[in-house]
Structure formats: C-alpha cells, structure tokens
Amino acid sequence: MSEIGARARQLDWAAQTDGRFRYTGDLPAEGVLRASVLRSPHPFARILSIDTARAAALPGVRAIVTAADFPAGARYLHEGAADRAPLADGVVRFVGQEVAAVAADDEATAQAACAAIEVRYARQPAPLGIAAAVRPRALHLHERPTGLCNRAALFHRRWGDFAAGRDAAARGVAGRFVFAAQHHACMEPGGVLATWDEAEQRLELWSPTGAPYYVVQEVAHVLGLAPGQVICREIGVGGSFGARTKVCEYEAIAAMLSRKAGRPVRLILSRAEDFATTKSRHAFEMELCLHGDVNGRLRAIEGDIRVDNGAYSHSGASVTSAGLKGLGMLYRPDGLDMSAALVDTAKPPGGSFRGYGSTQTGFALESLVDELALADGRDPLDYRLANANPAGTTTLVGAKLGSSGLSACLEACRDRLDWPHLRSDRLAGVGVGIASAVHVSGSHVGGETNRSDCAIDLFADGRAHVRFGSGDAGTGQKTILAQIVATELGLPLDRVTAEMIDSERTPFDMGSWSSRGTHYGGHAARQAARLLRERLTEAAQPELGNAPPRFEHGMLHGSGGSWPLGELVERCPEAKGGRLSVQTAYVEQAVEPADKASGIGNISASYNFAAHAAVVHVCELTGAVRLLRFVAAHDVGTPINPTFVEGQIVGGAVMGIGAALGEEVVTEQGRMVNGAFVDYAMPRAGDVPRVEAILVAGEDPAGPYGAKGVGETGINPPPAAIANAIRDAIGIRLTETPFTPDKVLGAIAAASGHRRRHQLWRRPSRWWISLVRWLYPRGLLDLLHRRVEGRFPANEARRIARIDRPAGLKGLADALREGARPLGGGVDLQALRQQGHPGPVHLAAVADVTELGGILRDEQGGWRIGASVTLKALALATAADLPVLGEAIGTVASPQIRAVATLGGNLLQEKRCWFFRNGFDCYKRRGGLAPCYAIAGDHRFHHAAVDGHRCQAVTPSDLATVLLALGAEAIVAMPDGGERRLSFDRLYVGPGETALGLGELLRAIHIPACAGRLSATFEKLRLWEGGFAIVSVCVAWEREGERARDIRIALGGIAPVPIRLGRAERAIEGIVPDDDAVRRLVGDAIDHIGHPLPGNGWKLDAACGVVRKAAARLRSLDARQHAA
Amino acid sequence: MADTATDLLRVNGRVLAAPTDPEPTLLHWLRVSLRLTGTKEGCGRGECGACTVLLDGQPVLACLMPAMLVRGEVTTVEGLGEAAGPLREAFADRGGYQCGFCTSGQLVHAWALLQEGLPRERPAAEAAVRHALSGNLCRCTGYAGIVEAVLQAGGIA
C-alpha cells in the first residue's frame, strides 16, 4: 500500500477550501496592537535626528521603536555580511528602508503616529544603479572587504582547461544580456504576529515562513536573545518562492514593538509596501561568450557578470555564486573563465528568489547556445542533445550526476511538439524555441545544511503524527512527509497528520529553500519511519517470528501473528502516555560544500533537469508576443506526488514566463514605480496557455525512493525558450527581459531601419516642450525632485465620514452642494485611498438615483445611457445594436470590476500614470514646481506620445475611445438643474480630466442614431489580460457598396485625451482601404502629430499597428456581413 | 436616510443589519465584525481578486464596497455549502491551489461561473474560464490546475 507516486490531496485540503485555514491576518485580533512602519523617503541619507515625542503623545500609541531600542550595533547575520540593522542605524540606503515603527490600538493611529515622527536627514548623492555605483567618484554605500567602491564581493571562476577549449573551438558567439529584477509578489502580503511574554522572557512569532530556523536565529540575534527564547508557531504560508526562506524585516520590528508595549503586535504590510520594500530577485547584467567546435560541441565559456545587490547583502554573494555554478552544470565544455562583481546600489535589496542566480545566467547561456547552434547550421535541439551530460558525468563545477534526464527531456519536447515540422514549416510570425536547465536538490552550503531531522509520534489509537521543522508554502511538502510515513508504516494516509514550522515542537531543519524539501525531508521522514518500524518490530518479539515483518493496513504482520500498530505502542518500553516518539537526524554524506576559492564541489546529492519548448506568435504590428503552446519536460526522478510535482513545474514555468514577457521591478529616483498588481505585469489566467508538463521516467540512486527536487527548475528555461522562439519567428534576438512590446517593436524598427519623422521644426507650439524635455535629464529633474523629496507624508488617505444615499437627482445635487463626491462602483475610490491620495470624505452613492440609470432609445433612434449603468449591463444591453461597446468592455479589468463599475466612473476615472499613482510627489499631485517623473523616467507604456505637455499621463478609459469614435455626447447636469451637452472631443481637457465645472455631474451619454449604421471595431494593446491600454483604437465606417464613408479612427492611450485621427480619416474617406493604404495614411497622420518621449516613440508604431489590425478586422466583418 | 427595513442584508443566509459606519469596506466588515476570515485581502484595491465574494450570485470585490451600502445576499467561501463540495474536491485533486491564499476568491468566482454554465466544448470552455478568472491572480499554480478543476467540476472532460 504505497503512497509513493499517489496523487494525494494536501493534508489540509478541507480547511484550505472552505475558508477555515488560517494565515497570520486571520488570527484572533482581540488585544492585539496594530503596527505601522515609518520608511525612508530618501535613497541615501544620514539620519541626523529622530524625534518621536509628538507621535508618542497621540492617544492610542503604545510603543515606538527606533534603532536605539535594539542592542547597539545589532545587524542581521545574513551569511556573514552583517550590514543591515533591523531599523536604520544612522544611515538609510534605500527608499522604503525601515526607520521607526509604531504599535497602536488601531491601524489608523499607528499610521498617524508614524507621520508624526520627525526625522531629519542629510541627503547624499545616491548610486541608483550599477553604472552609477561603479563610477569612480560614486559614494560608498558600505565599506566592503573588497576595498573597491560599491563592490560587495568579487568572483573569479576558472574551471577545467579554458584555454584548451577555446583553442579547440572553431567559432565563438557573444552577447550582452540583462535580466531584470523580478518580484515574488506572493498573494499573501508579508506580515507577522509577535507576542512577547515578559514573565517567561519568551517571544512567539506567527510568521508565514519556509525557514523558521533562520527566523529564530536572526530575530534572536538582533534582539539580543538566545535562540531558545524565540519560538515560531505554525501558520499558513501564503506563498514564498524564496521570499520567505530567510528572515523578513517585519519580524524583528514587530517583536521589538511587542516587547516594548508588553502586548501582542500584528504588523502586516500593505501590498504597496510588500512590492516596494521587500527583497526581490537580483538583476544581472551579463556578458557571455561561448566557443564551439566544428563537431557541434560546446568547448568553452567566458564572460563577466555584474549583479545588482541593492542596498544590503542578503543573499547577493550566494546568488552570484550559484548563478556562476549554473554555467558549469548543464553541459560539459573543456573549461570556463568567468568573473563577476556584486555591486551595491541604493535600491531595495535583492534576496533569494526561486532559481537563485541560475535563472539569470541560464537565460544568457541558453540564448547563446541557440546562436552557436544556428551559426553552425545545426538544429538547436539537436545541438543540446549532442552536448547533454549523461549520468555519471562530473561537471566542471564538480557536480556528480547520479542520474541525468536532460536528453530525455529534450526528446520529450521534440516529440510532443513535432519539433522538426514546426521548425521547417510554419505560419508567419510563429516561432518555436527550446531551452534547458539543471538545478540542485538542496545545496550543501556549509554548516549543517546537509542535515534534516524528523520526529514521528505514533499513538495507541494507531495514528501517526509527523513533526518537521521547515514550512510548507504550498509545495505540498507537509503532505509528502505524510505520504512517506504512511508508506513506511503501512498506514492509510488519513491516519497520518503532520505539523511544521513550530520551532518548539519540531526538530532541527534549516528550511524549504534550494529545492531541498524532497531530498532532505524525504530522507529524514523515511529514516524516522524506519526507526519507528524497528521499535515496533522489537515490541512484537518474540511472537513476531523470523519472517520479514510487513507493515500493511495499519498492522504489523509476521509469521507468528499480526498486531495493530497502536497495540504495539503500548508494548514499547519507550512509549509514554500511549505515545511512541522517535526522532532521527538524516545527514547526507554524498555532498560537500563548494571550495571557497574555486567554487567547485559536489554540493547536491542529485541534480534535476528540464527542457522547455515554447511556440510563440509575434505580432509584428504591435510587438505583442503571445504563447501558443508551452511544453515543460522535467526529470525529477520518482515523483512522490505527481500532482504536486506538476504544480511546481507549471507554477514555476508561468513565473518564468512572467519574467520573460512582463515582469520587472521599475525604479525611479530609487523608488519602485510599478509596485501594484495593476502595474506589475505578472501573468493572468488569460495570458498563458495550459503549460503541458511532462515527467520523463527515471530515478536517482541518491534520492528518497529515487526522487529529486523540483521546486526551482521550472522557472529557469522560459526566458531563453521564449527568446529563442522569438528569434525563430522574426529573426531578432532579444537580450533584455522582459520582452515587452516596446522592445519587440523597437527591435523590428531598428532591423528595418524604419524611423518616423515628426518635423517638429514646423510645429512651434512644441518647441518649448522640447526644450523642457531636453533640460529634464540635464539637471532640471534633479532640481525639481530635490524640492519635493521627503517633504510630503506618504499616506494622506482620510477616513470616510459620511455616505449619503440620495434617491433622486435633486437629493444628489443637494449632497454635491454640501461637498459630496458621487460614488458609483467605488473602483477608483479605494485604489486612490490605498495609493495614499487624500480622497473625498463625503460621498453620495448614485445607485438609487433613478435619473442616472437606464438605457433608453430616443425618437431618432439614438441611445441615452445613464451614467450609473454598470459596464456589464451596458455590454448586455447594446450587444445587438452597438457590439463595439461590449467588445471594449470585455477588455476592461475583470468581471468583478465590470459588474460594479459604472459608465460614469469609467469615463471620469483618474489618470493611471504609475508615478502619480504609486507615491511620487509629481506635478499633478503637488502642483507648482514639482516635477513630472515620466519625462525622464520609465514612460514606455502608459504615457503620451502625442500632445504631451506638463503632465505626460493619458486618459485611461477605453470607453472614451469608443464613444469618441461613435460621436457620442456627454449630458451634464448643471447645478441650477439644467442640462448641457458636451461632445466627446470637448469632454476631456487633460489626462483623466474633464470640462465638467464645479457642481456639475455627468448624467448620461448620448449616442446618435447614425452610430448604429456604422461597422465598428475595437483593438487594444495591453500588458496583461484586463490591463489598461498602452494604445487602443476604435475604427468605424459605414459601407456603401464598394466604398466606405464616414470614417472614424479614434485612438486612446496615445495622447492626454482620446483623439480622432482626422488627417487619416479624410484621406481614407470614400475608399475601403487595404492594409497598405492604412499603413501609409495612418502612418502619415501619426507622423504629423507625434511628439514622443525618448522611450515611447514605439507607441506610434504600435498605434499604426492597432489601427491596421482593427481595419483588417472591419474589412473581414464587412465581408462576412455581405456574404450573410 | 433609508428606513430600517432596507438596511438589512444577508450574509451566507444570516440576516444582518448593515453597518452604519461609512468607513469599513465589505471585506473588513466580513473579516473583522463577522469574523468570516475566509475572504482574504491581497491588495485592498481591486487588483488581485482574493476578496471575491458573491453579491446576489454575482462575483464582486469586497475590498471595493463600503459595507454600509451593501444590500442583498452576500455569499463568502464559508457559505458555498455542500453543493460546492465537488468543486472544492476538484481544486484539491487537480492542483487547483498550492499556498491557498487566493483560493477562496477563486472558488467563489468559479462557483458563480458554474452556476452560469460553461460552453460545452472544451476549448471554448477553457478559454471562457481563463478569460473570466483573469481577475483572480494566483502566483503558485500557473493557473492550469485551477482551470482543470473548474472544467472537471463543470463536467467537461
């Protein structure tokens, strides 16, 4: 009755699917103080003074802590780097660094108290990126042992005989690759509940962690406690991916607050804090060169890597080292010669992240392996097969491959996709690519990282309970431990329970990192269960007899009889109180830590392999890359639970796909720009195909039951597999993640030599703007930024004091006169408050205002649509007559939003500029002489490339684009009870800003009857399913036989307000334009108005592209209607 | 002000008076006042879907709604009831979750999709589920397990 290989459910599945399973934020809150953290507004500054007096005087404040509350010089251990204090100690080195924290009766008080703490800073020029940090005159963030400015560590790796390999090679391929920082974005924001018991001098922590060992060690260390005084308790872990495999900064802060306040303290980060201030994946800049010989063999690897460490060393050195190791494990060249530098920058620090350096170096390596194969005229998959290591190989870095399924993985991809056929015969814009990866199954990095302990209790009622000291962040490790114990003891799985994390009740384990859970946990659980079997076997003697004992169905069977296990417990002399407990330590002997100087060593008992193949479609009109298929073949040895293994593979692959196609941490002035799900383009369900996971057969001699690790490998191949597929599709090699449409379209334009000519010299109205834009990076931005940096509170959201529910327009007008703001679906209200905008305190709900609802046809056949009609209702009501509205609505946000969001709210929503939204004190927020951060910052997606003025934002509404094309009017209720009408080309006066006056209300939209005669279609380019438009278009015309008349082309997302492309409309009028005519005439019209920022000129090409797509769709729509 | 009779709502079948405080969102009211902590806060601003609940059968985001304005029948994950058993089991069997934090929102939304009915052909059904659930972020599963679970519970092989 083996549970090995069974698709068992997670042990806690019932509670996990009915809402009972608890995470930190779900713990009872009675008597628990809430905490808030005061964070640095500066990337690099000395702290001159901190005055907490005013904050301490606020009613409800129970404790305030600063660095002074911690033992002098307290620093996290972090692999010996010891460079970070739990609260900034005299210096801040990144925006968002923790400076002080408050515990109070409620969250609002804690936040108010943080705002009342007065900190005086002396700002210093901050090295905000690798290039700035290594400049000769850059300021040092730390004094480092390297003695070099901002070099936290240097590496030089020479493995094998590099010179011989290079000399034997016939050709080399080289490239420069950049892997952007990626955020874990765990669905559960980071947080902890800390309870200090003064009488017992003991601290309890409920923290979602995969490694309670490190939490205990680090928190005890910085609080000046013995590790035995700090106890982690078991609690749900809402994701980790590396984020929670070391100490997190909130744990020690909450602990100190609790100790000072003498009360339990809960500190949960907001989503914005979680994004912008916790550790992310390290960005890598890599120069790599591969040398291959005439026989299709990779012979030598050389290059140089610079790793963005961020402001503190958490795992930077070991991530760099692991990334280098990755280059020496996959293939077997003669030699490798690599150097690397870990560079300190004044940005949020990097930390451990699934893939751990190999994701980054694997991208460069596997991109160049393709180039080497192609340069050689060989098939990239065959090239890899020829270079794949068989079992028994000792690789350059000393990895001893007990098993190797790389070839099998490559073959599985080939067979599943019919690779030869796809490579030779395919559709335009479609390409296929492959990439491989290898990963450890738990690194031995020194100390006791080759050891795991496990305890099992067997009760007299025949139940077994497993105690294991790491945390299960969703990998299923807890269930796997139970499956193993059930298998060894012959128990049904439902008789086995397990607990993890609790550092008092579970024995020693260093945690769930480095894909070690299966190997170490598996061996430890099996060893403990076998020890238990021995005890039980002894207890059954002498009656048991000499035949080999069998453990089945909860019984021990021997030649002399059978006993229920529970009964044997009673017979064991060691058993106490009806419980027999065993505990063992599994120590892996087959591994050694890598040699410090050379980096060589067999650090893992087994190595697991993968090959991923991607089929992509590259839209050459918009630059959008869409995955058509994705195959992920893995060699994990024996899968102990195939469902969990496939979950790790698919989840890892989609995270890697995210890194390839959308995810990156963008910063400006050291502050994260896109720290929100709406701005951080991680994959949604609609963005990815079903990843086809394949488990190739195999088992590893060193693994428990032949199993190997799997948690990290799946994230590594996708970036290179997709880059290789894009290369195959359009012949262009992309070298910087993520491959967003700007990079794709930019590369296509560069390859074709295409350039737009805007003839700005002919447009005097743009001269002043051009001058200001020119001045921005030349000192103007710095000047303006210095005026606002750190001057304003981070959070100005106010408590909502009153919500009226007027039943009619008159009541609404009265409320508005009293200063209320209309409230529709509330979609933007909560967003703005969470973003720290002040927001209204008095609201008037429009839901019951009948005059604002309803969709009516007037006598002429036009439509009058009330402003409070929801998007969902609007799409339903107009599906037959104006389907283009529903087409656009289907691309807006999510069904949940569309069900409540109103037409009025959609049209009047605030600009979505990510600087304005995410904490930047920009001109639109602070007025006067505050800067526009978009001009010199990252403005590739959501800023104007036409007509940008002082603010570069755009009007975000997609419906505005459609309604402009349909010739709609806004019906505005005036304060005096009258109505006025505004056509859509006069409704907007700026980005998300309208011509509505004080006290005026958008009452309805009128769409003229003639709109019903138009064929219309909507196209939108966005980064994720439901995302805001980078550029959108509504194209409409009326067909009269072979002619199209009344052409309308409305563009959104490209200018501060939605615009009609009048010049193109006039040129097209009277013909049905073919694709070439659209390209020419729309291109000409766009050239005429374009005035892009340095990084968003591609949007003009994309705008042409979406118009061409829309026009093509309209032509085929017409053809279909004609045929019908 | 509206009269008392209209200020009632039902949560998982329980009739309750709507709160009079304008500040708390439906999410906070559920979690703090009613102690229904199955509904999670992932972002608090309508971007992740973890707080999805049903309002009169329609999936909505509890973090966006002032609780005092909510009328009708609110269903949270705790209130899905026995009929949702096969859906919950499908999530457990098909790898429809890992860490479980987004799962309440996924389940509640999926339940509403099943009530509405899915296209009977698998490719169309899969596309419909993927499109509809795009507002429910998951960082663990890569969505395959979620989609398979919903299709299985919907009787689509």
Side-chain angles (χ1 to χ4, degrees):
Chain A
M1 196 176 50
S2 175
E3 288 287 340
I4 304 304
R7 291 182 177 271
R9 293 174 185 167
Q10 287 204 40
L11 290 186
D12 297 319
W13 79 271
Q16 282 164 329
T17 57
D18 70 5
R20 283 178 295 136
F21 194 70
R22 277 181 172 177
Y23 302 85
T24 300
D26 305 331
L27 292 168
E30 284 73 23
V32 175
L33 300 176
R34 301 308 158 88
S36 182
V37 178
L38 177 67
R39 298 176 180 279
S40 168
H42 305 296
F44 190 25
R46 281 182 296 120
I47 298 174
L48 302 177
S49 65
I50 303 179
D51 183 353
T52 59
R54 213 156 58 82
L58 291 178
V61 171
R62 304 298 167 191
I64 302 176
V65 293
T66 65
D69 291 282
F70 285 86
R75 298 287 184 273
Y76 287 114
L77 299 164
H78 281 313
E79 301 175 351
D83 59 4
R84 182 168 183 179
L87 286 167
D89 191 2
V91 182
V92 289
R93 295 183 177 87
F94 70 93
V95 174
Q97 186 174 355
E98 304 84 355
V99 174
V102 176
D105 290 346
D106 58 68
E107 220 161 291
T109 306
Q111 285 174 7
C114 277
I117 296 172
E118 290 159 33
V119 186
R120 285 177 53 237
Y121 295 96
R123 285 180 277 181
Q124 305 185 88
L128 292 175
I130 290 178
V134 299
R135 241 176 243 144
R137 299 224 310 268
L139 292 187
H140 297 214
L141 285 165
H142 302 273
E143 292 309 317
R144 297 297 197 187
T146 62
L148 290 169
C149 175
N150 293 326
R151 262 62 147 222
L154 296 172
F155 301 80
H156 198 176
R157 298 284 185 249
R158 279 191 175 169
W159 300 327
D161 191 342
F162 171 75
R166 189 192 48 202
D167 293 347
R171 69 168 43 89
V173 290
R176 181 179 184 278
F177 297 86
V178 177
F179 201 105
Q182 184 183 17
H183 202 277
H184 307 82
C186 302
M187 291 312 300
E188 179 198 22
V192 63
L193 174 68
T195 301
W196 171 255
D197 185 329
E198 182 64 28
E200 300 281 333
Q201 291 285 299
R202 210 175 62 159
L203 177 72
E204 286 176 285
L205 297 172
W206 285 262
S207 182
T209 182
Y213 169 85
Y214 282 113
V215 175
V216 165
Q217 297 298 317
E218 294 275 15
V219 171
H221 176 72
V222 295
L223 264 75
L225 302 171
Q229 289 175 275
V230 180
I231 300 160
C232 281
R233 294 293 184 203
E234 185 165 22
I235 189 71
V237 185
S240 170
F241 321 111
R244 290 148 188 190
T245 57
K246 293 280 159 60
V247 70
C248 295
E249 288 58 48
Y250 41 78
E251 286 143 347
I253 294 171
M256 188 53 92
L257 282 170
S258 175
R259 191 172 172 183
K260 200 165 174 182
R263 300 253 303 266
V265 171
R266 191 174 96 177
L267 170 54
I268 294 185
L269 304 185
S270 71
R271 177 54 61 184
E273 283 178 300
D274 190 273
F275 259 121
T277 70
T278 63
K279 306 181 282 283
S280 62
R281 186 194 287 290
H282 296 85
F284 274 42
E285 298 178 359
M286 301 165 278
E287 280 167 32
L288 198 67
C289 179
L290 305 187
H291 302 273
D293 67 18
V294 291
N295 300 317
R297 300 284 303 187
L298 174 64
R299 300 303 294 266
I301 300 175
E302 65 179 318
D304 182 48
I305 296 176
R306 295 197 293 188
V307 176
D308 190 339
N309 195 30
Y312 295 97
S313 284
H314 286 274
S315 311
S318 63
V319 165
T320 309
S321 170
L324 290 165
K325 281 192 179 78
L327 296 172
M329 291 204 306
L330 193 53
Y331 304 113
R332 186 66 178 82
D334 301 35
L336 169 148
D337 186 346
M338 291 291 301
S339 55
L342 178 66
V343 180
D344 293 323
T345 61
K347 295 200 299 194
S352 48
F353 195 123
R354 191 182 213 172
Y356 213 75
S358 294
T359 315
Q360 295 95 316
T361 56
F363 164 55
L365 175 69
E366 285 294 280
S367 296
L368 283 183
V369 165
D370 250 48
E371 290 300 321
L372 199 52
L374 294 172
D376 238 8
R378 293 170 198 271
D379 177 88
L381 196 151
D382 292 339
Y383 195 91
R384 287 176 172 83
L385 274 174
N387 282 278
N389 292 316
T393 308
T394 298
T395 73
L396 277 183
V397 70
K400 293 177 179 154
L401 308 182
S403 65
S404 167
L406 178 55
S407 297
C409 290
L410 289 162
E411 285 160 359
C413 287
R414 184 184 63 196
D415 298 346
R416 175 66 69 92
L417 281 180
D418 192 3
W419 172 273
H421 178 247
L422 270 179
R423 289 289 294 191
S424 60
D425 179 20
R426 69 181 110 85
L427 302 165
V430 174
V432 58
I434 194 152
S436 318
V438 58
H439 209 82
V440 295
S441 309
S443 303
H444 183 26
V445 294
E448 296 194 274
T449 53
N450 63 334
R451 173 180 157 178
S452 269
D453 296 7
C454 182
I456 306 174
D457 306 311
L458 185 66
F459 295 92
D461 63 0
R463 273 183 311 115
H465 183 65
V466 189
R467 291 179 280 123
F468 193 77
S470 75
D472 182 344
T475 60
Q477 192 188 3
K478 191 178 194 173
T479 307
I480 286 171
L481 296 170
Q483 284 179 267
I484 289 170
V485 170
T487 300
E488 293 295 327
L489 297 181
L491 288 172
L493 189 57
D494 63 9
R495 302 294 287 162
V496 182
T497 54
E499 73 177 296
M500 297 177 77
I501 296 184
D502 194 307
S503 58
E504 197 172 48
R505 296 172 47 83
T506 65
F508 170 81
D509 182 75
M510 291 185 73
S512 301
W513 44 271
S514 191
S515 303
R516 68 196 293 277
T518 298
H519 185 85
Y520 283 95
H523 271 303
R526 182 168 74 171
Q527 181 171 298
R530 289 184 176 175
L531 180 62
L532 194 55
R533 280 189 355 190
E534 279 175 33
R535 295 273 185 280
L536 296 168
T537 308
E538 286 161 15
Q541 297 292 12
E543 299 95 312
L544 183 66
N546 293 329
R550 285 178 298 116
F551 287 81
E552 280 174 8
H553 307 299
M555 310 272 285
L556 169 56
H557 306 280
S559 51
S562 296
W563 295 265
L565 298 192
E567 200 182 305
L568 292 174
V569 168
E570 306 280 14
R571 291 167 64 164
C572 277
E574 305 94 323
K576 296 281 179 284
R579 179 173 67 177
L580 173 62
S581 300
V582 296
Q583 181 175 326
T584 63
Y586 176 78
V587 180
E588 179 58 71
Q589 302 295 347
V591 294
E592 61 197 1
D595 177 73
K596 279 268 181 279
S598 70
I600 292 174
N602 184 38
I603 57 173
S604 175
S606 69
Y607 298 84
N608 66 92
F609 292 85
H612 290 189
V615 184
V616 304
H617 175 258
V618 183
C619 177
E620 296 192 50
L621 297 179
T622 63
V625 177
R626 183 142 192 100
L627 281 175
L628 304 177
R629 281 185 76 182
F630 199 93
V631 177
H634 282 245
D635 158 35
V636 304
T638 307
I640 290 180
N641 184 321
T643 301
F644 298 169
V645 167
E646 288 160 3
Q648 289 302 305
I649 291 170
V650 177
V654 169
M655 213 173 223
I657 289 168
L661 293 180
E663 295 183 39
E664 63 184 310
V665 173
V666 177
T667 59
E668 173 62 28
Q669 306 296 328
R671 180 184 292 274
M672 187 169 176
V673 174
N674 58 340
F677 286 126
V678 76
D679 295 317
Y680 185 80
M682 63 188 240
R684 273 69 174 171
D687 295 319
V688 285
R690 182 170 58 90
V691 171
E692 301 166 50
I694 300 173
L695 305 181
V696 303
E699 56 181 87
D700 192 280
Y705 312 97
K708 305 197 266 190
V710 64
E712 296 176 85
T713 325
I715 201 171
N716 290 346
I722 292 169
N724 293 341
I726 293 171
R727 165 79 158 85
D728 186 46
I730 59 170
I732 290 172
R733 164 68 54 195
L734 294 179
T735 56
E736 301 189 7
T737 69
F739 318 130
T740 40
D742 56 305
K743 290 180 189 150
V744 176
L745 220 48
I748 291 173
S752 69
H754 160 75
R755 282 192 64 187
R756 299 207 161 273
R757 293 176 206 290
H758 305 303
Q759 305 193 339
L760 286 173
W761 58 273
R762 279 192 184 169
R763 295 153 64 189
S765 66
R766 305 300 298 172
W767 292 355
W768 167 248
I769 292 159
S770 295
L771 174 68
V772 173
R773 287 181 183 179
W774 187 83
L775 287 171
Y776 247 72
R778 292 170 178 79
L780 183 56
L781 172 62
D782 288 343
L783 190 75
L784 298 175
H785 176 63
R786 266 205 298 279
R787 288 177 44 83
V788 295
E789 189 190 56
R791 268 192 54 204
F792 301 96
N795 184 359
E796 296 174 293
R798 297 174 294 176
R799 207 181 144 75
I800 295 173
R802 177 176 163 192
I803 304 180
D804 298 339
R805 291 162 53 202
L809 198 55
K810 187 177 171 309
L812 179 59
D814 290 344
L816 298 189
R817 253 195 302 281
E818 288 178 51
R821 292 272 301 277
L823 173 66
V827 174
D828 209 13
L829 173 78
Q830 291 300 342
L832 283 165
R833 296 179 79 216
Q834 292 280 336
Q835 288 152 354
H837 286 255
V841 296
H842 180 188
L843 296 158
V846 300
D848 300 336
V849 180
T850 46
E851 295 94 325
L852 293 186
I855 301 174
L856 304 170
R857 295 298 290 269
D858 62 23
E859 289 151 11
Q860 289 78 36
W863 290 262
R864 184 186 165 107
I865 305 163
S868 74
V869 171
T870 65
L871 300 191
K872 182 182 180 185
L874 176 57
L876 280 174
T878 56
D881 301 320
L882 293 169
V884 69
L885 282 172
E887 230 180 277
I889 288 169
T891 72
V892 173
S894 62
Q896 295 101 307
I897 299 277
R898 298 194 289 269
V900 299
T902 61
L903 172 62
N906 179 275
L907 293 173
L908 303 183
Q909 66 186 303
E910 257 296 359
K911 60 192 86 37
R912 295 277 168 178
C913 164
W914 56 17
F915 300 101
F916 174 76
R917 291 278 183 165
N918 295 333
F920 284 79
D921 292 305
C922 77
Y923 153 71
K924 280 291 181 188
R925 196 153 174 197
R926 302 300 174 197
L929 288 174
C932 168
Y933 289 94
I935 292 173
D938 189 333
H939 48 236
R940 290 171 294 157
F941 306 119
H942 294 294
H943 292 92
V946 171
D947 289 346
H949 203 266
R950 184 74 170 80
C951 165
Q952 313 301 317
V954 297
T955 296
S957 166
D958 290 326
L959 281 175
T961 310
V962 177
L963 291 169
L964 176 66
L966 297 182
E969 288 178 319
I971 300 171
V972 179
M974 298 192 293
D976 62 6
E979 265 187 17
R980 68 182 179 116
R981 291 185 168 219
L982 268 172
S983 63
F984 257 72
D985 55 5
R986 287 187 300 135
L987 175 63
Y988 293 102
V989 295
E993 296 158 13
T994 66
L996 264 60
L998 200 66
E1000 288 192 325
L1001 176 77
L1002 179 67
R1003 185 168 170 179
I1005 298 301
H1006 181 261
I1007 301 173
C1010 63
R1013 294 195 293 272
L1014 298 168
S1015 314
T1017 188
F1018 176 81
E1019 280 286 340
K1020 164 169 158 180
L1021 176 64
R1022 80 291 186 277
L1023 288 179
W1024 46 270
E1025 174 95 35
F1028 284 95
I1030 296 169
V1031 55
S1032 65
V1033 66
C1034 181
V1035 177
W1037 60 50
E1038 192 179 340
R1039 269 304 274 275
E1040 282 180 350
E1042 290 308 302
R1043 285 155 33 88
R1045 56 170 295 276
D1046 199 6
I1047 314 273
R1048 295 133 187 249
I1049 304 172
L1051 287 171
I1054 193 89
V1057 303
I1059 53 167
R1060 289 275 292 267
L1061 223 45
R1063 189 180 167 93
E1065 291 174 356
R1066 288 189 296 277
I1068 292 170
E1069 184 72 28
I1071 60 172
V1072 176
D1074 61 14
D1075 186 54
D1076 189 55
V1078 176
R1079 184 185 56 75
R1080 215 162 17 83
L1081 298 172
V1082 170
D1084 169 67
I1086 280 178
D1087 280 349
H1088 208 71
I1089 55 174
H1091 187 188
L1093 292 158
N1096 73 359
W1098 75 278
K1099 281 181 68 167
L1100 299 170
D1101 292 342
C1104 280
V1106 291
V1107 177
R1108 286 169 69 186
K1109 282 182 77 173
R1113 209 141 59 79
L1114 212 45
R1115 283 192 302 268
S1116 68
L1117 206 67
D1118 283 347
R1120 249 180 297 154
Q1121 268 168 5
H1122 189 70
Chain B
M1 289 297 288
D3 64 41
T4 324
T6 60
D7 286 352
L8 296 177
L9 75 160
R10 282 188 301 172
V11 177
N12 297 336
R14 253 170 88 197
V15 178
L16 296 161
T20 52
D21 180 354
E23 172 64 24
T25 59
L26 174 59
L27 174 63
H28 283 200
W29 187 63
L30 290 170
R31 287 179 54 82
V32 177
S33 302
L34 305 188
R35 301 189 186 190
L36 291 170
T37 54
T39 308
K40 306 300 182 200
E41 176 166 346
C43 70
R45 52 204 250 187
E47 295 170 4
C48 78
C51 69
T52 303
V53 299
L54 303 183
L55 180 58
D56 295 329
Q58 164 70 51
V60 294
L61 300 174
C63 74
L64 294 180
M65 299 191 155
M68 74 169 278
L69 294 179
V70 177
R71 300 291 178 274
E73 170 86 51
V74 176
T75 308
T76 71
V77 68
E78 291 94 340
L80 284 185
E82 280 178 24
L87 178 65
R88 294 173 47 220
E89 291 185 33
F91 265 68
D93 287 335
R94 305 305 294 266
Y97 72 90
Q98 288 173 24
C99 84
F101 195 79
C102 73
T103 308
S104 305
Q106 305 279 4
L107 280 166
V108 164
H109 196 164
W111 176 247
L113 289 181
L114 294 176
Q115 301 313 106
E116 232 172 71
L118 296 174
R120 297 316 301 167
E121 296 302 316
R122 193 193 147 98
E126 178 172 354
V129 171
R130 283 189 179 271
H131 179 65
L133 289 184
S134 283
N136 290 77
L137 294 183
C138 170
R139 195 57 161 162
C140 294
T141 64
Y143 303 106
I146 296 171
V147 175
E148 291 305 313
V150 179
L151 295 180
Q152 177 184 308
I156 295 154

